[in-house]
Amino acid sequence: MEHLFCQRSIIKMSHTNSKDDFRLPTFRVDSDGGLSPEALRSWQGAGCLVIENFCDEHARRELIWAADSIVAQFDMTDRDAIFSTQTHEHARNKYFETSGDKIRCFFEENALNQNGDLLVPKEQSINKIGHALHDLHPVFERFSYQPRIARLMQELGIDDPRLLQSMFIFKQPGIGGEVNWHQDGSFLYTSPPSVTGLWFALEDATLETGCLWALPGKHTRGLRSRFLRVNGELIMEDSLSPPNFDEDQGVPLEVPAGSLIIIHGALPHYSAPNRSQKSRYAYTLHAISGTAVYPEDNWLQRGQDLPLRRLTPISR
Ligand code: FE2
């Protein structure tokens, strides 16, 4: 049992998983992305922040249309795109390793049989698209570099914020895969730590469709592991602190379409499989500080042709 300071009240969090037992407070940003002092206090206490009505319906539809178009043009002969968050087998796959500066589609693990034949329609077979949508696709670029997001990063104190990674996550009906408990800083490590995740709900995210879960307040305990390249192989290197995530204290973050969830790089979070007949589309961005050191042994590397760009309004 523990308590979390928030704007409206002290929120009681228990280890039961009843969705009625706990809610993180929700906030709004002003028209240029500014946050209230209450929102900033909640962010500092919880390591995550739920902002309602960040994306309007037009923006959501445009992102979904753009993702659907990419899938429609995806060359289905590439069977190396199988993505598994359970085993990290994908890590040994060059298709994944070299996707940091490209737009690539990754299959749901259960979308193909052992021979690589599709078990579901093509448009329901993709787990995610990654990892440089924000720099290579005009629709995602326009959304990602909007002034409100730049201001938000400024409000959260990220020095010289740069967009490092983007993903469109489908969480397909019936086969949308689980994402194990993890900290984003394990995968996008910087020194000092700076990675911050932005998770935009393009559809309702519910317990039924596999919403995010998190451990509010546990972002202060450091990183449990690091995913890095050693002798040409990507491995997960564990540290002893913290030894576990206290996963039974997880809090579901059910949010309606249009919400934004901001996630501290050391906050443990997770999402369950989607066994429902609805999809649960989301778009995610990860920003880092341009003043932090980005190690050469991180999995995500970008070629010199695509340097990281500052998160400020772009002129057109
Ligand atoms: Fe994550």
Side-chain angles (χ1 to χ4, degrees):
M1 196 83 69
E2 63 185 85
H3 295 88
L4 172 70
F5 178 79
C6 75
Q7 139 192 62
R8 294 174 189 156
S9 62
I10 300 296
I11 288 195
K12 189 170 83 173
M13 298 195 304
S14 75
H15 61 274
T16 62
N17 288 346
S18 166
K19 64 179 180 180
D20 298 325
D21 279 358
F22 27 62
R23 293 274 175 196
L24 280 180
T26 59
F27 298 90
R28 287 176 177 259
V29 293
D30 58 31
S31 58
D32 67 353
L35 288 168
S36 66
E38 291 81 10
L40 285 170
R41 276 198 294 274
S42 184
W43 161 253
Q44 286 158 4
C48 60
L49 190 65
V50 181
I51 294 174
E52 57 188 11
N53 291 318
F54 189 86
C55 316
D56 64 22
E57 186 176 353
H58 174 76
R60 298 198 305 272
R61 281 174 183 261
E62 195 173 43
L63 294 175
I64 291 171
W65 170 84
D68 286 344
S69 301
I70 292 169
V71 172
Q73 293 167 28
F74 175 50
D75 180 1
M76 293 296 286
T77 61
D78 197 340
R79 295 294 194 257
D80 294 335
I82 299 170
F83 179 79
S84 166
T85 55
Q86 292 289 324
T87 63
H88 295 297
E89 284 178 8
H90 66 282
R92 288 186 285 275
N93 189 317
K94 290 294 179 196
Y95 183 87
F96 169 78
E97 290 182 29
T98 57
S99 63
D101 52 7
K102 299 179 181 65
I103 294 175
R104 285 185 171 165
C105 296
F106 298 85
F107 287 114
E108 285 284 0
E109 194 170 58
N110 294 324
L112 305 169
N113 65 17
Q114 288 184 331
N115 299 322
D117 302 319
L118 274 182
L119 299 173
V120 295
K122 176 186 175 185
E123 57 273 18
Q124 292 178 19
S125 68
I126 303 301
N127 169 290
K128 70 172 184 179
I129 306 171
H131 288 96
L133 288 160
H134 60 293
D135 282 327
L136 297 176
H137 191 292
V139 171
F140 290 99
E141 179 189 49
R142 193 161 54 244
F143 179 86
S144 305
Y145 287 96
Q146 63 179 283
R148 283 192 307 162
I149 294 177
R151 172 74 190 280
L152 257 181
M153 295 294 93
Q154 199 177 46
E155 294 271 271
L156 298 181
I158 300 171
D159 191 19
D160 186 17
R162 314 264 174 143
L163 285 181
L164 174 63
Q165 174 182 269
S166 50
M167 294 185 283
F168 191 99
I169 300 170
F170 290 87
K171 209 73 160 181
Q172 300 284 6
I175 60 169
E178 174 183 12
V179 178
N180 293 339
W181 283 99
H182 68 281
Q183 297 161 298
D184 292 340
S186 297
F187 297 89
L188 304 173
Y189 180 81
T190 66
S191 178
S194 67
V195 66
T196 303
L198 301 165
W199 195 96
F200 304 93
L202 304 182
E203 297 180 309
D204 294 344
T206 64
L207 288 172
E208 183 191 16
T209 59
C211 66
L212 287 179
W213 290 66
L215 292 167
K218 301 292 189 187
H219 61 298
T220 58
R221 302 200 307 170
L223 285 182
R224 196 175 73 168
S225 57
R226 232 197 106 196
F227 189 57
L228 73 170
R229 189 173 280 105
V230 177
N231 297 327
E233 290 281 314
L234 287 172
I235 62 164
M236 187 65 86
E237 187 176 80
D238 290 329
S239 71
L240 294 177
S241 177
N244 58 60
F245 284 146
D246 298 328
E247 297 164 6
D248 59 345
Q249 295 179 28
V251 175
L253 303 178
E254 291 188 282
V255 291
S259 303
L260 162 61
I261 302 176
I262 308 176
I263 303 170
H264 188 282
L267 183 79
H269 57 285
Y270 151 90
S271 70
N274 180 8
R275 301 295 181 224
S276 79
Q277 292 311 302
K278 301 176 194 165
S279 57
R280 194 227 64 189
Y281 288 0
Y283 178 57
T284 71
L285 289 168
H286 286 90
I288 60 172
S289 168
T291 62
V293 174
Y294 187 79
E296 291 183 357
D297 57 4
N298 273 2
W299 85 265
L300 193 160
Q301 300 294 331
R302 295 175 31 138
Q304 292 184 346
D305 294 344
L306 201 64
L308 294 187
R309 288 161 55 190
R310 187 166 287 129
L311 228 177
T312 52
I314 53 174
S315 53
R316 293 186 172 280

Short mmCIF file of all heavy atoms in Angstrom, two decimals, residues 200-256:
data_model
loop_
_atom_site.label_atom_id
_atom_site.label_comp_id
_atom_site.label_asym_id
_atom_site.label_seq_id
_atom_site.Cartn_x
_atom_site.Cartn_y
_atom_site.Cartn_z
N PHE A 200 0.46 8.38 -27.22
CA PHE A 200 -0.78 9.01 -27.66
C PHE A 200 -1.82 7.93 -27.96
O PHE A 200 -1.60 7.09 -28.85
CB PHE A 200 -0.54 9.84 -28.93
CG PHE A 200 0.53 10.89 -28.78
CD1 PHE A 200 1.85 10.62 -29.12
CD2 PHE A 200 0.22 12.15 -28.29
CE1 PHE A 200 2.84 11.58 -28.98
CE2 PHE A 200 1.21 13.13 -28.15
CZ PHE A 200 2.52 12.84 -28.50
N ALA A 201 -2.93 7.97 -27.25
CA ALA A 201 -4.01 7.01 -27.51
C ALA A 201 -4.80 7.46 -28.73
O ALA A 201 -5.46 8.50 -28.70
CB ALA A 201 -4.92 6.92 -26.29
N LEU A 202 -4.73 6.68 -29.80
CA LEU A 202 -5.49 7.03 -31.00
C LEU A 202 -6.86 6.37 -31.00
O LEU A 202 -7.74 6.73 -31.78
CB LEU A 202 -4.70 6.61 -32.25
CG LEU A 202 -3.29 7.21 -32.34
CD1 LEU A 202 -2.61 6.77 -33.63
CD2 LEU A 202 -3.32 8.73 -32.23
N GLU A 203 -7.00 5.36 -30.11
CA GLU A 203 -8.29 4.73 -29.86
C GLU A 203 -8.40 4.55 -28.34
O GLU A 203 -7.40 4.66 -27.63
CB GLU A 203 -8.39 3.37 -30.56
CG GLU A 203 -8.31 3.48 -32.08
CD GLU A 203 -8.39 2.12 -32.77
OE1 GLU A 203 -7.64 1.21 -32.40
OE2 GLU A 203 -9.21 2.00 -33.69
N ASP A 204 -9.59 4.21 -27.87
CA ASP A 204 -9.75 3.99 -26.43
C ASP A 204 -8.81 2.86 -25.98
O ASP A 204 -8.73 1.81 -26.64
CB ASP A 204 -11.19 3.59 -26.09
CG ASP A 204 -12.17 4.72 -26.37
OD1 ASP A 204 -11.73 5.88 -26.51
OD2 ASP A 204 -13.38 4.43 -26.42
N ALA A 205 -8.11 3.09 -24.87
CA ALA A 205 -7.25 2.06 -24.29
C ALA A 205 -7.89 1.60 -22.99
O ALA A 205 -7.98 2.39 -22.03
CB ALA A 205 -5.85 2.62 -24.05
N THR A 206 -8.35 0.37 -22.96
CA THR A 206 -9.10 -0.14 -21.81
C THR A 206 -8.46 -1.43 -21.33
O THR A 206 -7.58 -2.00 -21.99
CB THR A 206 -10.56 -0.44 -22.20
OG1 THR A 206 -10.56 -1.50 -23.19
CG2 THR A 206 -11.23 0.79 -22.80
N LEU A 207 -8.91 -1.92 -20.18
CA LEU A 207 -8.44 -3.23 -19.70
C LEU A 207 -8.72 -4.29 -20.75
O LEU A 207 -7.92 -5.20 -20.98
CB LEU A 207 -9.15 -3.58 -18.39
CG LEU A 207 -8.73 -2.79 -17.16
CD1 LEU A 207 -9.65 -3.10 -15.99
CD2 LEU A 207 -7.28 -3.11 -16.80
N GLU A 208 -9.86 -4.16 -21.41
CA GLU A 208 -10.27 -5.13 -22.41
C GLU A 208 -9.33 -5.17 -23.61
O GLU A 208 -9.01 -6.23 -24.15
CB GLU A 208 -11.69 -4.76 -22.86
CG GLU A 208 -12.33 -5.69 -23.84
CD GLU A 208 -13.62 -5.10 -24.42
OE1 GLU A 208 -13.85 -3.88 -24.30
OE2 GLU A 208 -14.38 -5.88 -25.01
N THR A 209 -8.85 -3.99 -24.03
CA THR A 209 -8.03 -3.94 -25.26
C THR A 209 -6.53 -3.91 -24.97
O THR A 209 -5.73 -3.85 -25.90
CB THR A 209 -8.38 -2.70 -26.10
OG1 THR A 209 -8.16 -1.51 -25.33
CG2 THR A 209 -9.83 -2.74 -26.56
N GLY A 210 -6.15 -3.97 -23.68
CA GLY A 210 -4.72 -4.03 -23.37
C GLY A 210 -4.11 -2.66 -23.15
O GLY A 210 -3.12 -2.28 -23.78
N CYS A 211 -4.68 -1.92 -22.19
CA CYS A 211 -4.15 -0.58 -21.87
C CYS A 211 -2.78 -0.70 -21.19
O CYS A 211 -2.36 -1.79 -20.79
CB CYS A 211 -5.12 0.16 -20.95
SG CYS A 211 -5.29 -0.58 -19.30
N LEU A 212 -2.12 0.44 -21.06
CA LEU A 212 -0.87 0.47 -20.31
C LEU A 212 -1.14 0.22 -18.82
O LEU A 212 -2.20 0.57 -18.30
CB LEU A 212 -0.20 1.85 -20.43
CG LEU A 212 0.46 2.23 -21.76
CD1 LEU A 212 1.02 3.64 -21.65
CD2 LEU A 212 1.55 1.25 -22.14
N TRP A 213 -0.15 -0.36 -18.15
CA TRP A 213 -0.10 -0.44 -16.69
C TRP A 213 1.21 0.20 -16.26
O TRP A 213 2.20 0.14 -17.01
CB TRP A 213 -0.13 -1.89 -16.21
CG TRP A 213 -1.43 -2.60 -16.40
CD1 TRP A 213 -2.01 -2.94 -17.59
CD2 TRP A 213 -2.30 -3.09 -15.38
NE1 TRP A 213 -3.20 -3.60 -17.36
CE2 TRP A 213 -3.39 -3.72 -16.02
CE3 TRP A 213 -2.26 -3.07 -13.98
CZ2 TRP A 213 -4.44 -4.30 -15.30
CZ3 TRP A 213 -3.30 -3.66 -13.28
CH2 TRP A 213 -4.39 -4.26 -13.93
N ALA A 214 1.24 0.75 -15.07
CA ALA A 214 2.47 1.37 -14.60
C ALA A 214 2.60 1.22 -13.08
O ALA A 214 1.65 0.81 -12.40
CB ALA A 214 2.49 2.85 -14.98
N LEU A 215 3.76 1.53 -12.59
CA LEU A 215 4.03 1.55 -11.14
C LEU A 215 4.36 2.98 -10.73
O LEU A 215 5.53 3.36 -10.62
CB LEU A 215 5.20 0.62 -10.81
CG LEU A 215 4.92 -0.87 -11.00
CD1 LEU A 215 6.21 -1.68 -10.95
CD2 LEU A 215 3.97 -1.36 -9.92
N PRO A 216 3.33 3.82 -10.56
CA PRO A 216 3.57 5.24 -10.26
C PRO A 216 4.47 5.40 -9.04
O PRO A 216 4.28 4.75 -8.01
CB PRO A 216 2.17 5.78 -10.00
CG PRO A 216 1.27 4.87 -10.76
CD PRO A 216 1.89 3.52 -10.65
N GLY A 217 5.43 6.29 -9.17
CA GLY A 217 6.35 6.57 -8.07
C GLY A 217 7.60 5.71 -8.07
O GLY A 217 8.56 6.02 -7.37
N LYS A 218 7.62 4.65 -8.86
CA LYS A 218 8.76 3.73 -8.85
C LYS A 218 9.86 4.16 -9.83
O LYS A 218 10.82 3.42 -10.04
CB LYS A 218 8.30 2.31 -9.18
CG LYS A 218 7.26 1.76 -8.23
CD LYS A 218 7.81 1.51 -6.84
CE LYS A 218 6.80 0.75 -5.98
NZ LYS A 218 7.23 0.63 -4.59
N HIS A 219 9.71 5.32 -10.40
CA HIS A 219 10.73 5.80 -11.35
C HIS A 219 11.98 6.29 -10.64
O HIS A 219 12.98 6.59 -11.28
CB HIS A 219 10.15 6.94 -12.20
CG HIS A 219 9.73 8.12 -11.39
ND1 HIS A 219 8.73 8.06 -10.44
CD2 HIS A 219 10.17 9.40 -11.37
CE1 HIS A 219 8.58 9.23 -9.88
NE2 HIS A 219 9.44 10.08 -10.44
N THR A 220 11.92 6.34 -9.32
CA THR A 220 13.07 6.87 -8.57
C THR A 220 14.07 5.78 -8.20
O THR A 220 15.09 6.07 -7.57
CB THR A 220 12.58 7.55 -7.28
OG1 THR A 220 11.84 6.59 -6.51
CG2 THR A 220 11.67 8.73 -7.59
N ARG A 221 13.78 4.54 -8.56
CA ARG A 221 14.61 3.44 -8.08
C ARG A 221 15.72 3.02 -9.05
O ARG A 221 16.39 2.01 -8.85
CB ARG A 221 13.73 2.22 -7.76
CG ARG A 221 12.66 2.53 -6.73
CD ARG A 221 12.13 1.29 -6.08
NE ARG A 221 11.68 0.30 -7.04
CZ ARG A 221 11.35 -0.94 -6.72
NH1 ARG A 221 11.43 -1.35 -5.48
NH2 ARG A 221 10.92 -1.77 -7.65
N GLY A 222 15.89 3.76 -10.11
CA GLY A 222 16.97 3.44 -11.05
C GLY A 222 16.58 2.40 -12.08
O GLY A 222 15.47 1.87 -12.06
N LEU A 223 17.49 2.15 -13.01
CA LEU A 223 17.22 1.19 -14.09
C LEU A 223 17.60 -0.22 -13.65
O LEU A 223 18.65 -0.43 -13.05
CB LEU A 223 18.03 1.55 -15.33
CG LEU A 223 17.58 2.74 -16.16
CD1 LEU A 223 18.48 2.89 -17.37
CD2 LEU A 223 16.12 2.58 -16.60
N ARG A 224 16.74 -1.17 -13.99
CA ARG A 224 17.01 -2.55 -13.63
C ARG A 224 17.90 -3.25 -14.65
O ARG A 224 18.58 -4.21 -14.34
CB ARG A 224 15.71 -3.33 -13.47
CG ARG A 224 15.90 -4.63 -12.73
CD ARG A 224 14.59 -5.34 -12.47
NE ARG A 224 14.05 -5.92 -13.69
CZ ARG A 224 13.05 -6.78 -13.72
NH1 ARG A 224 12.47 -7.15 -12.61
NH2 ARG A 224 12.60 -7.27 -14.87
N SER A 225 17.87 -2.78 -15.88
CA SER A 225 18.65 -3.47 -16.92
C SER A 225 18.97 -2.51 -18.05
O SER A 225 18.42 -1.41 -18.13
CB SER A 225 17.87 -4.67 -17.46
OG SER A 225 16.62 -4.25 -17.95
N ARG A 226 19.89 -2.98 -18.89
CA ARG A 226 20.22 -2.21 -20.10
C ARG A 226 20.32 -3.15 -21.27
O ARG A 226 20.92 -4.22 -21.19
CB ARG A 226 21.56 -1.49 -19.91
CG ARG A 226 21.50 -0.01 -20.22
CD ARG A 226 22.88 0.58 -20.43
NE ARG A 226 23.09 0.83 -21.85
CZ ARG A 226 24.26 1.06 -22.40
NH1 ARG A 226 25.35 1.06 -21.66
NH2 ARG A 226 24.36 1.29 -23.70
N PHE A 227 19.72 -2.75 -22.38
CA PHE A 227 19.74 -3.51 -23.62
C PHE A 227 20.84 -2.89 -24.47
O PHE A 227 20.73 -1.73 -24.89
CB PHE A 227 18.38 -3.37 -24.30
CG PHE A 227 18.15 -4.26 -25.48
CD1 PHE A 227 18.27 -5.64 -25.39
CD2 PHE A 227 17.78 -3.71 -26.70
CE1 PHE A 227 18.02 -6.45 -26.48
CE2 PHE A 227 17.53 -4.51 -27.80
CZ PHE A 227 17.66 -5.87 -27.69
N LEU A 228 21.91 -3.66 -24.72
CA LEU A 228 23.05 -3.04 -25.39
C LEU A 228 23.77 -4.04 -26.29
O LEU A 228 23.57 -5.26 -26.19
CB LEU A 228 24.01 -2.43 -24.38
CG LEU A 228 24.89 -3.37 -23.53
CD1 LEU A 228 25.93 -2.53 -22.79
CD2 LEU A 228 24.10 -4.17 -22.54
N ARG A 229 24.60 -3.51 -27.14
CA ARG A 229 25.33 -4.33 -28.11
C ARG A 229 26.70 -4.69 -27.53
O ARG A 229 27.49 -3.81 -27.16
CB ARG A 229 25.48 -3.55 -29.42
CG ARG A 229 26.05 -4.37 -30.56
CD ARG A 229 25.99 -3.60 -31.87
NE ARG A 229 24.68 -3.62 -32.50
CZ ARG A 229 23.83 -2.61 -32.52
NH1 ARG A 229 24.13 -1.48 -31.95
NH2 ARG A 229 22.66 -2.73 -33.12
N VAL A 230 26.97 -5.99 -27.43
CA VAL A 230 28.25 -6.48 -26.94
C VAL A 230 28.80 -7.47 -27.97
O VAL A 230 28.14 -8.46 -28.28
CB VAL A 230 28.11 -7.18 -25.57
CG1 VAL A 230 29.45 -7.75 -25.11
CG2 VAL A 230 27.57 -6.21 -24.52
N ASN A 231 29.97 -7.18 -28.51
CA ASN A 231 30.58 -8.05 -29.53
C ASN A 231 29.61 -8.34 -30.68
O ASN A 231 29.49 -9.48 -31.14
CB ASN A 231 31.05 -9.36 -28.90
CG ASN A 231 32.15 -9.12 -27.88
OD1 ASN A 231 32.96 -8.20 -28.01
ND2 ASN A 231 32.14 -9.92 -26.82
N GLY A 232 28.90 -7.31 -31.08
CA GLY A 232 28.01 -7.46 -32.22
C GLY A 232 26.66 -8.08 -31.91
O GLY A 232 25.80 -8.20 -32.78
N GLU A 233 26.44 -8.48 -30.66
CA GLU A 233 25.17 -9.11 -30.27
C GLU A 233 24.43 -8.19 -29.32
O GLU A 233 25.04 -7.61 -28.40
CB GLU A 233 25.41 -10.44 -29.56
CG GLU A 233 25.93 -11.54 -30.44
CD GLU A 233 24.80 -12.17 -31.26
OE1 GLU A 233 23.75 -12.45 -30.67
OE2 GLU A 233 25.00 -12.33 -32.48
N LEU A 234 23.11 -8.11 -29.48
CA LEU A 234 22.32 -7.33 -28.54
C LEU A 234 21.92 -8.21 -27.36
O LEU A 234 21.37 -9.30 -27.55
CB LEU A 234 21.07 -6.77 -29.23
CG LEU A 234 21.35 -5.62 -30.19
CD1 LEU A 234 20.09 -5.27 -30.97
CD2 LEU A 234 21.86 -4.40 -29.45
N ILE A 235 22.21 -7.74 -26.18
CA ILE A 235 21.89 -8.51 -24.98
C ILE A 235 21.19 -7.62 -23.96
O ILE A 235 21.29 -6.40 -24.01
CB ILE A 235 23.16 -9.11 -24.31
CG1 ILE A 235 24.09 -7.97 -23.86
CG2 ILE A 235 23.88 -10.06 -25.26
CD1 ILE A 235 25.14 -8.42 -22.88
N MET A 236 20.47 -8.26 -23.03
CA MET A 236 19.88 -7.54 -21.91
C MET A 236 20.78 -7.77 -20.70
O MET A 236 20.93 -8.89 -20.23
CB MET A 236 18.47 -8.05 -21.64
CG MET A 236 17.73 -7.25 -20.61
SD MET A 236 17.38 -5.54 -21.13
CE MET A 236 15.85 -5.78 -22.04
N GLU A 237 21.39 -6.70 -20.23
CA GLU A 237 22.31 -6.80 -19.10
C GLU A 237 21.58 -6.33 -17.85
O GLU A 237 21.17 -5.17 -17.75
CB GLU A 237 23.53 -5.93 -19.38
CG GLU A 237 24.64 -6.06 -18.37
CD GLU A 237 25.85 -5.22 -18.80
OE1 GLU A 237 25.82 -3.99 -18.57
OE2 GLU A 237 26.78 -5.79 -19.37
N ASP A 238 21.41 -7.23 -16.88
CA ASP A 238 20.67 -6.89 -15.66
C ASP A 238 21.59 -6.29 -14.60
O ASP A 238 22.75 -6.70 -14.49
CB ASP A 238 20.00 -8.14 -15.08
CG ASP A 238 18.86 -8.60 -15.96
OD1 ASP A 238 18.23 -7.74 -16.60
OD2 ASP A 238 18.61 -9.81 -16.03
N SER A 239 21.05 -5.38 -13.86
CA SER A 239 21.75 -4.91 -12.67
C SER A 239 21.00 -5.46 -11.47
O SER A 239 19.92 -6.03 -11.59
CB SER A 239 21.78 -3.39 -12.62
OG SER A 239 20.49 -2.90 -12.34
N LEU A 240 21.54 -5.31 -10.29
CA LEU A 240 20.89 -5.88 -9.11
C LEU A 240 19.93 -4.90 -8.46
O LEU A 240 19.21 -5.26 -7.53
CB LEU A 240 21.95 -6.30 -8.09
CG LEU A 240 22.85 -7.45 -8.56
CD1 LEU A 240 23.90 -7.75 -7.52
CD2 LEU A 240 22.01 -8.70 -8.83
N SER A 241 19.92 -3.69 -8.93
CA SER A 241 19.07 -2.70 -8.27
C SER A 241 18.24 -1.95 -9.30
O SER A 241 18.80 -1.35 -10.21
CB SER A 241 19.94 -1.72 -7.49
OG SER A 241 19.17 -0.73 -6.91
N PRO A 242 16.93 -1.96 -9.16
CA PRO A 242 16.13 -2.71 -8.20
C PRO A 242 16.00 -4.17 -8.63
O PRO A 242 16.00 -4.46 -9.83
CB PRO A 242 14.76 -2.02 -8.28
CG PRO A 242 14.70 -1.49 -9.67
CD PRO A 242 16.09 -1.13 -10.05
N PRO A 243 15.89 -5.12 -7.70
CA PRO A 243 15.88 -6.53 -8.07
C PRO A 243 14.61 -6.95 -8.79
O PRO A 243 14.60 -7.91 -9.53
CB PRO A 243 16.03 -7.25 -6.73
CG PRO A 243 15.52 -6.27 -5.71
CD PRO A 243 15.86 -4.92 -6.24
N ASN A 244 13.50 -6.23 -8.53
CA ASN A 244 12.26 -6.55 -9.24
C ASN A 244 11.42 -5.29 -9.32
O ASN A 244 11.77 -4.25 -8.76
CB ASN A 244 11.50 -7.68 -8.54
CG ASN A 244 11.18 -7.29 -7.10
OD1 ASN A 244 10.49 -6.30 -6.85
ND2 ASN A 244 11.71 -8.06 -6.14
N PHE A 245 10.27 -5.39 -10.00
CA PHE A 245 9.44 -4.20 -10.22
C PHE A 245 8.22 -4.11 -9.30
O PHE A 245 7.43 -3.20 -9.44
CB PHE A 245 8.93 -4.20 -11.67
CG PHE A 245 9.96 -3.80 -12.69
CD1 PHE A 245 9.94 -4.38 -13.95
CD2 PHE A 245 10.93 -2.85 -12.42
CE1 PHE A 245 10.87 -4.02 -14.92
CE2 PHE A 245 11.85 -2.49 -13.37
CZ PHE A 245 11.83 -3.07 -14.62
N ASP A 246 8.01 -5.07 -8.40
CA ASP A 246 6.76 -5.07 -7.61
C ASP A 246 5.55 -5.03 -8.54
O ASP A 246 4.65 -4.20 -8.39
CB ASP A 246 6.71 -3.88 -6.64
CG ASP A 246 7.84 -3.92 -5.63
OD1 ASP A 246 8.26 -5.04 -5.26
OD2 ASP A 246 8.31 -2.84 -5.23
N GLU A 247 5.55 -5.95 -9.50
CA GLU A 247 4.54 -5.90 -10.56
C GLU A 247 3.11 -6.04 -10.04
O GLU A 247 2.17 -5.56 -10.68
CB GLU A 247 4.84 -7.00 -11.58
CG GLU A 247 6.19 -6.78 -12.25
CD GLU A 247 6.69 -8.02 -12.96
OE1 GLU A 247 5.95 -9.00 -13.05
OE2 GLU A 247 7.84 -7.98 -13.44
N ASP A 248 2.95 -6.68 -8.89
CA ASP A 248 1.58 -6.86 -8.37
C ASP A 248 0.98 -5.55 -7.89
O ASP A 248 -0.20 -5.50 -7.56
CB ASP A 248 1.57 -7.90 -7.24
CG ASP A 248 2.47 -7.51 -6.07
OD1 ASP A 248 3.31 -6.60 -6.25
OD2 ASP A 248 2.33 -8.11 -4.99
N GLN A 249 1.76 -4.48 -7.87
CA GLN A 249 1.22 -3.17 -7.49
C GLN A 249 0.89 -2.32 -8.72
O GLN A 249 0.66 -1.12 -8.61
CB GLN A 249 2.21 -2.43 -6.61
CG GLN A 249 2.45 -3.12 -5.27
CD GLN A 249 3.47 -2.38 -4.41
OE1 GLN A 249 3.64 -1.17 -4.52
NE2 GLN A 249 4.16 -3.11 -3.57
N GLY A 250 0.87 -2.94 -9.88
CA GLY A 250 0.63 -2.20 -11.10
C GLY A 250 -0.74 -1.52 -11.13
O GLY A 250 -1.73 -2.04 -10.63
N VAL A 251 -0.75 -0.36 -11.75
CA VAL A 251 -1.97 0.45 -11.87
C VAL A 251 -2.36 0.54 -13.35
O VAL A 251 -1.54 0.94 -14.18
CB VAL A 251 -1.72 1.88 -11.34
CG1 VAL A 251 -2.91 2.77 -11.57
CG2 VAL A 251 -1.34 1.84 -9.87
N PRO A 252 -3.59 0.17 -13.71
CA PRO A 252 -3.99 0.29 -15.12
C PRO A 252 -4.23 1.75 -15.50
O PRO A 252 -4.80 2.51 -14.72
CB PRO A 252 -5.29 -0.52 -15.20
CG PRO A 252 -5.85 -0.47 -13.81
CD PRO A 252 -4.68 -0.36 -12.87
N LEU A 253 -3.79 2.11 -16.67
CA LEU A 253 -3.99 3.48 -17.16
C LEU A 253 -4.97 3.45 -18.32
O LEU A 253 -4.60 3.54 -19.49
CB LEU A 253 -2.64 4.08 -17.60
CG LEU A 253 -1.54 4.10 -16.54
CD1 LEU A 253 -0.24 4.67 -17.11
CD2 LEU A 253 -1.97 4.90 -15.31
N GLU A 254 -6.23 3.28 -17.98
CA GLU A 254 -7.28 3.29 -19.00
C GLU A 254 -7.52 4.73 -19.43
O GLU A 254 -7.77 5.60 -18.57
CB GLU A 254 -8.56 2.70 -18.45
CG GLU A 254 -8.50 1.21 -18.17
CD GLU A 254 -9.86 0.66 -17.82
OE1 GLU A 254 -10.29 0.86 -16.67
OE2 GLU A 254 -10.49 0.04 -18.71
N VAL A 255 -7.47 4.98 -20.73
CA VAL A 255 -7.67 6.35 -21.20
C VAL A 255 -8.51 6.35 -22.47
O VAL A 255 -8.43 5.42 -23.28
CB VAL A 255 -6.33 7.07 -21.49
CG1 VAL A 255 -5.55 7.33 -20.21
CG2 VAL A 255 -5.49 6.30 -22.49
N PRO A 256 -9.30 7.40 -22.66
CA PRO A 256 -10.06 7.50 -23.91
C PRO A 256 -9.17 7.98 -25.06
O PRO A 256 -8.10 8.56 -24.84
CB PRO A 256 -11.13 8.54 -23.59
CG PRO A 256 -10.56 9.36 -22.49
CD PRO A 256 -9.65 8.45 -21.70
#
